[in-house]
Amino acid sequence: PTRAAPFASSPRRRRCDALRRDHRRRRRGISGGVVVASGGDGGEKLYVPGDAMGGDNSPERAGAATMRRLFTHVAIRIVQGQLEGLGNDGGFAPQATGWDGTVQCPDYADLRHAMEHVPLGNGDEWISAFMKKNPVVALRVLETRKAYCAQFDYRELKRCADGLVLGGNVLLMKEHMEISMGGGGGGGGE
C-alpha cells in the first residue's frame, strides 16, 4: 500500500496548492487571488483568502489606500495652517481672517468651503474636486501630501500599531478569562 507523504497535509502543502489554484484562476481571468502575509515572528506565513479585502486587494494595499486618505487629510490641515499663518508668525493671521472673524483670503475661503462640503473620499477624489475650484491651492495640497508621505515615520506607525494590537489583545484575553471563569456574565464556561 502507498502511504501519503507527511508533506501531503501540511500547511505548506495546502498553501502551495492554493497558490497553484490561484495561478490557474488568474490565467483564466478569474479574480480572487491568494495573499500570503507574514506572521511577523519569522515563522510560518499566514494565509489570507484572496477576496478578504475585496477583489485582488491585499491587506497591504488596503492599508496603503487608508494611508493615502490620511496623508491627504494631514496635507489639507497643513495648508490650512499655513494659510492661517501658523508657523509664520505663531498664530493669528489677519491676512486669512479679519479682526472681526470675516474671511479675507479667497484661497482660505475656498479651502474651508471644500473642507466642509466636499467628502474626502480616497483623497484623490477630494483634490480632484477642489482642483476645479482653486487649482493653485490644490497643487499646494498635492505637494504637501507628497512631502508628508516622504517624511512620515513608518517605524513609529508599526510601533504604535503593535502596541495597540498587543494592548487590545491583553484586555480582550482578560475579558475572555473573566467570562470563561463565570465572573463576567455572558453565560459561558458553566
Side-chain angles (χ1 to χ4, degrees):
T2 309
R3 277 187 22 200
F7 181 69
S9 64
S10 72
R12 175 183 272 175
R13 175 61 183 246
R14 287 191 299 272
R15 192 170 67 243
C16 288
D17 290 343
L19 290 171
R20 276 192 213 99
R21 280 192 308 274
D22 179 56
H23 179 69
R24 285 192 300 266
R25 292 178 78 199
R26 284 178 190 248
R27 276 191 312 190
R28 290 184 304 216
I30 302 171
S31 65
V34 173
V35 179
V36 180
S38 172
D41 57 359
E44 193 73 25
K45 293 197 177 238
L46 302 174
Y47 169 78
V48 179
D51 60 351
M53 303 305 294
D56 288 333
N57 208 4
S58 70
E60 291 79 7
R61 283 183 191 238
T66 301
M67 295 297 289
R68 175 181 57 187
R69 181 180 161 93
L70 172 70
F71 292 158
T72 304
H73 173 77
V74 170
I76 292 166
R77 296 305 300 262
I78 289 171
V79 171
Q80 176 192 11
Q82 291 168 347
L83 290 173
E84 290 174 346
L86 299 177
N88 300 333
D89 63 353
F92 184 72
Q95 74 271 14
T97 55
W99 295 106
D100 62 351
T102 59
V103 176
Q104 296 181 346
C105 174
D107 290 341
Y108 181 78
D110 290 344
L111 183 65
R112 289 293 304 174
H113 182 270
M115 289 170 66
E116 294 170 3
H117 296 96
V118 178
L120 186 57
N122 68 7
D124 290 352
E125 295 165 354
W126 187 92
I127 293 172
S128 176
F130 184 54
M131 198 171 285
K132 293 172 180 72
K133 176 74 174 167
N134 192 326
V136 173
V137 178
L139 288 174
R140 190 168 170 180
V141 171
L142 275 176
E143 289 299 316
T144 304
R145 178 172 76 164
K146 178 182 172 185
Y148 186 72
C149 181
Q151 64 182 240
F152 186 79
D153 190 350
Y154 292 93
R155 286 187 186 141
E156 179 67 10
L157 171 67
K158 181 172 178 9
R159 190 190 67 72
C160 290
D162 286 346
L164 288 172
V165 169
L166 294 175
N169 282 358
V170 167
L171 291 174
L172 291 168
M173 289 303 289
K174 285 180 182 177
E175 181 181 327
H176 172 69
M177 187 176 74
E178 288 174 5
I179 292 170
S180 297
M181 300 305 251
E190 293 176 39

